[in-house]
Amino acid sequence: MKAPKATPEVRLPWEISADEIAAILAGSHSNPFAVLGVHKSGSAYVARCFIPGAEEVTAMALDGSVIGELKQQHPDGFFAGQVSLAKQQPVRYRARRGDAEWAVTDPYSFGPVLGPMDDYYVREGSHLRLFDKMGAHWIKHEGAQGIHFAVWAPNAQRVSVVGDFNGWDGRRHVMRFRSSAGIWEIFAPDVPTGVGYKFEIRGHDGVLLPLKADPFARRSELRPKTASVVAPELLQEWEDEEHLKHWSETDKRRQPISIYEVHAGSWQRRDDGTFLSWDELASRLIPYCVDMGFTHIEFLPITEHPYDPSWGYQTTGLYAPTARFGEPEGFARFVNGCHKVGIGVILDWVPAHFPTDEHGLGWFDGTALYEHADPRQGFHPDWNTAIYNFGRTEVVSYLVNNALYWAEKFHLDGLRVDAVASMLYLDYSRKHGEWIPNEYGGNENLEAVRFLQNMNTRIYAEHPGVMTIAEESTSWPKVSQPVHEGGLGFGFKWNMGFMHDTLSYMRREPIHRKHHHNELTFGLLYAYSENFVLPLSHDEVVHGKGSLIAKMPGDDWQKFANLRAYYAFMWGYPGKKLLFMGQEFAQWAEWSEAKALDWNLLQYRMHEGMRRLVRDLNFTYRSKPALHARDCEGDGFEWLIADDNENSVFAWIRKAPGEKPVVVICNLTPVYRENYTVRLPIEGRWREILNTDADIYGGSGKGNGGRVQAVNAGGSIAASITLPPLATIMLEPEI
């Protein structure tokens, strides 16, 4: 006798297997969009949802009409049932538990936001609007309003967005995987702006990773919190058309550029020691820079970073202005305020490396995604950070888009790219055997070279008014030459050699300077090999180096005199200018990011005198085309005295076509020299337009009474000049 056949299990159209329900409840289902949401079943439609805590669920169309009652398939909150729809469309649920009732719009009933062209451009690396597609954006989609989330994690087994809106439950908003681009996305209806969120990622091996902040987040929580924040689209009524037009149409090499380098957290602070907001900074810093004559403000990185003593150079949020100073809109208002009065804003930008904080980019999807897996390529020994993988298309796109983002959304005037040398050399700070040669056996990082060329090409094409500046400390050729001529494509390069050589000279006791005369003349041998910025930067006043005034030799009077003479030497030297905050009034203390500058020093004559000198140097430099119009070209400079090492005297001409020349003369010993003969290019009276020994600057008041006379004696034009001690003077013909 045969055994009776087992009766097959009858499953209603909306029902799924217990295993699939268990996978949804555990957050381990490989494709919840195939299960949850609205699906066609024969000629009808069924809806399934997971709403933890619900006991009853009613399905509704977005217009509020009831389309079906769902049946509970699992007590943990899994419901399913047939719905009366004429077509597949988004739905909303009314959930109930006891007397409580709440509405949930089903994220799984919406289609994708990204399209095949986004996938194509992402794979190709030519997508220049990633900042509008990735991250979190408030949009209207298929009749509902909410947030579209998108993140690149190609090797993840599952990615969910978690946040305040879903109780940080990774089972609630599991994202849709776009396998062709490696991007996960989901539209989360009814989610407002201002909520915190992160990504919950299950790696390729099934291991749940630490929650990750959004690489494209445009706002973050204030440290020590680390969540990203859903930001509204930046709305700023820009009033800077003339400013942007000027810089997009002009040759920046021939414009006066004097940069005030600022750490936003320690320039000034409130009375209680807390940070100023962007609006408070705007009300103080912008008028100060206008009065001081600076043309640009350069901020140490203001992108989000977890650790204050990193000064922003170890950033975990390249797209987010740090929450330390308020919301991103505040920074936009600051930039707009600068532009209204003609001041440009430059941002220190760090594409060389990133910190290994667990909420950041490191091993983002359980694999070395943004960095190299091999520590010989992916680990930075100097800063214990990870190095970007410049050979990966998506990483290059992430960084290039970030440069474009700051220029477009915040109207920035420039990016000063940090640590370029560490990017260019595979053996940077590494011993033999600790690095991997390139394909030709050399130490050049060819992938980083291509990235920098790509970045500069893109940003100058899209935003011609922006300038990029390289902090590059080696003799890598053509850093500031066009890409089509084999250069890296930067607009300018920091002249680290100038900073090193001139400070080495100025530190010496004047009696020894005659033996090191070439430290001030050598720089002219290469002064026009690049478009240079002369930096007296934050790097020179930290880590035990002391302030600039503290580096100068002699008693207090000589220290101030030396520094005044040095500043005027620099402002008269070819190249754009950069001075770190606090050095304009000769702060004695080494800079600390933990407190405000010592502004109380301005009550003292010598410090106020130094500030006045820097102010006058800026306005002299800006008003005299001879001092700036040929900063980057050799025909704008001519030595008059380069070999008087016995007296430590230097003299040269700055000139520009059709403009009055300016003669700069430096006496870098404390010896007062009368009747010193200087050859001049034009006969007649010359006006002393600047004298660092003037009483108003804290000097001894020695000088030439405001005039010198150049006479022609035997075919040679010269003047007999008084050279004040430890001073620099500038002369201009009266004609």
Side-chain angles (χ1 to χ4, degrees):
M1 184 176 178
K2 294 184 179 178
K5 291 184 178 179
T7 304
E9 180 184 355
V10 178
R11 186 180 296 171
L12 295 173
W14 58 82
E15 292 181 325
I16 59 174
S17 71
D19 288 343
E20 283 201 284
I21 293 176
I24 293 292
L25 299 179
S28 59
H29 198 288
S30 60
N31 183 16
F33 279 88
V35 175
L36 299 175
V38 177
H39 297 274
K40 194 166 186 180
S41 177
S43 60
Y45 287 94
V46 299
R48 305 184 191 95
C49 64
F50 171 47
I51 306 178
E55 293 176 337
E56 300 175 34
V57 170
T58 299
M60 302 177 294
L62 293 185
D63 62 8
S65 59
V66 174
I67 57 174
E69 294 291 337
L70 304 191
K71 297 183 175 7
Q72 189 181 73
Q73 301 295 296
H74 194 286
D76 284 353
F78 191 92
F79 294 81
Q82 187 169 321
V83 291
S84 56
L85 289 174
K87 62 179 181 178
Q88 192 163 343
Q89 66 186 63
V91 297
R92 182 173 287 128
Y93 305 114
R94 185 168 62 237
R96 295 177 295 279
R97 181 182 184 90
D99 294 333
E101 184 174 297
W102 67 98
V104 177
T105 307
D106 186 359
Y108 297 99
S109 63
F110 291 84
V113 174
L114 301 179
M117 292 309 296
D118 291 308
D119 295 343
Y120 173 79
Y121 289 127
V122 165
R123 290 197 310 270
E124 189 182 60
S126 59
H127 205 311
L128 302 182
R129 309 290 311 177
L130 284 178
F131 45 81
D132 286 337
K133 302 287 187 176
M134 305 294 289
H137 294 274
W138 189 90
I139 64 171
K140 187 171 184 178
H141 181 54
E142 297 181 0
Q145 293 176 327
I147 306 299
H148 174 243
F149 295 95
V151 64
W152 178 56
N155 305 304
Q157 205 177 84
R158 186 262 289 172
V159 179
S160 302
V161 60
V162 296
D164 299 335
F165 55 90
N166 63 11
W168 297 86
D169 186 343
R171 304 171 300 168
R172 299 281 300 278
H173 289 82
V174 179
M175 304 172 79
R176 173 188 280 115
F177 185 47
R178 306 183 68 86
S179 58
S180 59
I183 292 173
W184 299 76
E185 68 162 338
I186 193 170
F187 174 68
D190 303 334
V191 175
T193 59
V195 298
Y197 71 98
K198 284 185 177 180
F199 294 113
E200 182 179 283
I201 300 175
R202 192 179 296 278
H204 68 286
D205 54 2
V207 174
L208 204 61
L209 304 174
L211 295 182
K212 292 289 188 178
D214 182 359
F216 280 88
R218 291 169 292 124
R219 187 174 178 182
S220 298
E221 289 184 311
L222 178 62
R223 53 93 178 96
K225 296 180 179 180
T226 57
S228 303
V229 176
V230 175
E233 297 306 310
L234 186 68
L235 296 178
Q236 168 63 42
E237 186 177 339
W238 293 101
E239 304 164 278
D240 58 357
E241 183 178 353
E242 288 301 314
H243 176 90
L244 298 182
K245 185 174 184 290
H246 166 75
W247 285 104
S248 65
E249 295 177 351
T250 191
D251 183 348
K252 300 169 191 62
R253 299 172 304 164
R254 294 182 171 180
Q255 293 294 309
I257 295 177
S258 182
I259 302 167
Y260 188 50
E261 189 187 28
V262 173
H263 177 259
S266 61
W267 181 71
Q268 287 184 5
R269 289 195 174 184
R270 299 181 183 128
D271 292 342
D272 62 1
T274 57
F275 295 127
L276 300 177
S277 69
W278 283 119
D279 292 327
E280 290 170 321
L281 268 169
S283 68
R284 303 185 192 188
L285 180 56
I286 296 175
Y288 181 76
C289 288
V290 169
D291 178 67
M292 288 295 293
F294 288 104
T295 65
H296 291 75
I297 298 169
E298 178 182 319
F299 283 112
L300 273 61
I302 56 94
T303 46
E304 195 56 76
H305 53 283
Y307 186 51
D308 286 15
S310 78
W311 314 329
Y313 287 100
Q314 294 201 11
T315 180
T316 52
L318 271 183
Y319 285 80
T322 176
R324 288 165 174 81
F325 315 117
E327 74 288 348
E329 289 78 5
F331 182 57
R333 290 192 297 271
F334 180 92
V335 176
N336 187 58
C338 285
H339 287 181
K340 287 169 66 176
V341 294
I343 292 178
V345 180
I346 300 168
L347 176 63
D348 268 19
W349 189 55
V350 192
H353 62 111
F354 59 89
T356 55
D357 298 65
E358 66 174 15
H359 70 281
L361 297 181
W363 291 80
F364 190 79
D365 64 355
T367 66
L369 195 59
Y370 286 87
E371 70 273 51
H372 292 272
D374 191 324
R376 293 175 296 174
Q377 297 172 292
F379 180 73
H380 207 302
D382 284 357
W383 303 306
N384 294 324
T385 51
I387 299 171
Y388 285 104
N389 183 350
F390 301 113
R392 189 155 196 169
T393 300
E394 296 89 348
V395 174
V396 169
S397 292
Y398 171 73
L399 294 171
V400 170
N401 270 267
N402 187 248
L404 296 172
Y405 168 80
W406 288 105
E408 177 176 326
K409 301 294 187 181
F410 290 94
H411 289 206
L412 283 190
D413 299 88
L415 293 173
R416 177 264 192 188
V417 183
D418 181 61
V420 171
S422 76
M423 301 167 68
L424 293 174
Y425 297 96
L426 295 166
D427 60 347
Y428 186 88
S429 286
R430 298 179 189 275
K431 300 173 184 176
H432 180 71
E434 295 179 348
W435 58 282
I436 299 175
N438 63 32
E439 58 194 280
Y440 304 107
N443 68 340
E444 302 87 359
N445 190 335
L446 303 180
E447 294 170 343
V449 170
R450 286 190 285 269
F451 157 68
L452 292 170
Q453 291 175 325
N454 183 358
M455 181 274 297
N456 282 314
T457 299
R458 296 289 191 185
I459 199 164
Y460 277 109
E462 298 289 325
H463 303 281
V466 170
M467 57 181 167
T468 58
I469 306 167
E471 187 222 8
E472 202 286 307
S473 55
T474 74
S475 56
W476 187 282
K478 296 186 175 182
V479 170
S480 58
Q481 300 302 311
V483 172
H484 66 265
E485 294 181 5
L488 293 182
F490 285 94
F492 293 92
K493 172 183 172 175
W494 272 20
N495 191 338
M496 312 293 276
F498 169 87
M499 183 169 63
H500 176 271
D501 290 349
T502 57
L503 282 176
S504 173
Y505 180 92
M506 294 303 300
R507 280 190 182 99
R508 302 182 190 280
E509 293 289 343
I511 194 171
H512 301 305
R513 287 175 177 170
K514 63 183 177 181
H515 303 297
H516 302 275
H517 200 72
N518 67 313
E519 288 184 333
L520 291 198
T521 59
F522 175 71
L524 269 301
L525 296 178
Y526 62 87
Y528 307 105
S529 61
E530 302 278 3
N531 303 322
F532 278 125
V533 172
L534 311 180
L536 292 177
S537 74
H538 66 279
D539 282 329
E540 290 308 307
V541 295
V542 293
H543 298 321
K545 295 178 182 177
S547 63
L548 292 182
I549 186 70
K551 297 180 197 297
M552 299 296 116
D555 57 22
D556 282 0
W557 189 93
Q558 289 197 18
K559 286 180 182 295
F560 279 92
N562 269 301
L563 190 58
R564 291 193 302 267
Y566 179 45
Y567 283 164
F569 172 93
M570 173 172 152
W571 261 253
Y573 193 95
K576 309 309 177 186
K577 325 301 176 191
L578 180 144
L579 187 65
F580 184 57
M581 64 180 199
Q583 309 313 303
E584 77 275 17
F585 60 81
Q587 174 165 304
W588 282 107
E590 182 175 273
W591 170 61
S592 167
E593 83 287 339
K595 61 186 181 68
L597 299 178
D598 296 329
W599 292 100
N600 61 300
L601 293 176
L602 287 173
Q603 65 185 301
Y604 301 107
R605 173 176 175 267
M606 301 297 279
H607 294 278
E608 170 60 16
M610 190 71 72
R611 188 199 64 81
R612 288 186 177 186
L613 172 66
V614 172
R615 180 183 186 275
D616 289 353
L617 283 171
N618 275 332
F619 282 108
T620 301
Y621 168 71
R622 293 173 61 172
S623 64
K624 308 297 180 184
L627 288 175
H628 66 251
R630 291 296 183 269
D631 264 335
C632 304
E633 299 162 72
D635 60 359
F637 179 94
E638 179 186 342
W639 278 116
L640 294 174
I641 301 171
D643 56 359
D644 188 4
N645 57 301
E646 284 299 320
N647 294 311
S648 297
V649 171
F650 305 81
W652 62 85
I653 305 173
R654 294 298 308 279
K655 48 192 175 179
E659 304 289 346
K660 290 183 181 181
V662 172
V663 168
V664 182
I665 308 167
C666 304
N667 173 23
L668 299 182
T669 67
V671 178
Y672 173 62
R673 305 186 191 282
E674 295 182 300
N675 302 317
Y676 188 93
T677 301
V678 177
R679 177 172 58 87
L680 295 174
I682 299 172
E683 190 175 358
R685 288 213 301 179
W686 286 65
R687 189 165 60 94
E688 192 174 70
I689 60 174
L690 190 133
N691 178 353
T692 65
D693 194 51
D695 180 74
I696 194 173
Y697 304 138
S700 62
K702 303 289 194 299
N704 295 278
R707 301 285 188 279
V708 300
Q709 186 75 26
V711 298
N712 191 332
S716 177
I717 300 172
S720 182
I721 296 176
T722 295
L723 300 184
L726 291 173
T728 296
I729 63 174
M730 294 184 183
L731 306 174
E732 178 187 70
E734 288 194 345
I735 58 171

